[in-house]
Amino acid sequence: MMKPRLYVDFNEMVDSNLVLLSKGDTKVDAAGNSVALREGLQISIYMDDFDEIGNRDDLVAEGVVERNNHSDWSSHVKWCCRIDDAGVRHSSDI
């Protein structure tokens, strides 16, 4: 089974390998399907980006859904994605 591919905003990093994912318990994936979020769910994440000449070159990462336990500016968000050791990269680099 393929991992859900979910949009994130990599400008909303809580830690160096943790990005905000969703305020609610579901999120629509890139194919338009509703995905039920749960602790430990493995996902692919992306954010649209472009190279220096304007060609699309999305930022991508792989990770695992986890509950947000921060009590700072991000506390209004319920779910985060813990990014794996490969980190965030451009799709052209894969």
Side-chain angles (χ1 to χ4, degrees):
M1 183 173 159
M2 291 188 60
K3 296 178 197 173
R5 186 170 187 251
L6 303 175
Y7 183 86
V8 298
D9 184 344
F10 286 114
N11 295 306
E12 296 181 334
M13 299 292 291
V14 180
D15 284 324
S16 62
N17 66 344
L18 189 67
V19 65
L20 298 181
L21 183 61
S22 179
K23 293 179 185 179
D25 289 329
T26 61
K27 188 166 176 91
V28 175
D29 70 8
N33 303 308
S34 182
V35 176
L37 302 175
R38 59 178 166 73
E39 192 84 29
L41 177 66
Q42 294 192 8
I43 59 174
S44 297
I45 54 177
Y46 75 99
M47 183 174 110
D48 51 331
D49 196 27
F50 298 88
D51 67 17
E52 58 280 346
I53 58 172
N55 296 316
R56 188 164 180 168
D57 192 12
D58 291 348
L59 293 169
V60 295
E62 304 291 319
V64 177
V65 174
E66 66 178 53
R67 188 129 190 176
N68 183 14
N69 60 9
H70 288 81
S71 58
D72 56 11
W73 62 271
S74 68
S75 63
H76 66 287
V77 175
K78 184 173 183 178
W79 298 106
C80 293
C81 178
R82 178 73 59 186
I83 299 168
D84 69 12
D85 291 340
V88 179
R89 55 215 181 274
H90 281 102
S91 57
S92 64
D93 294 333
I94 298 175

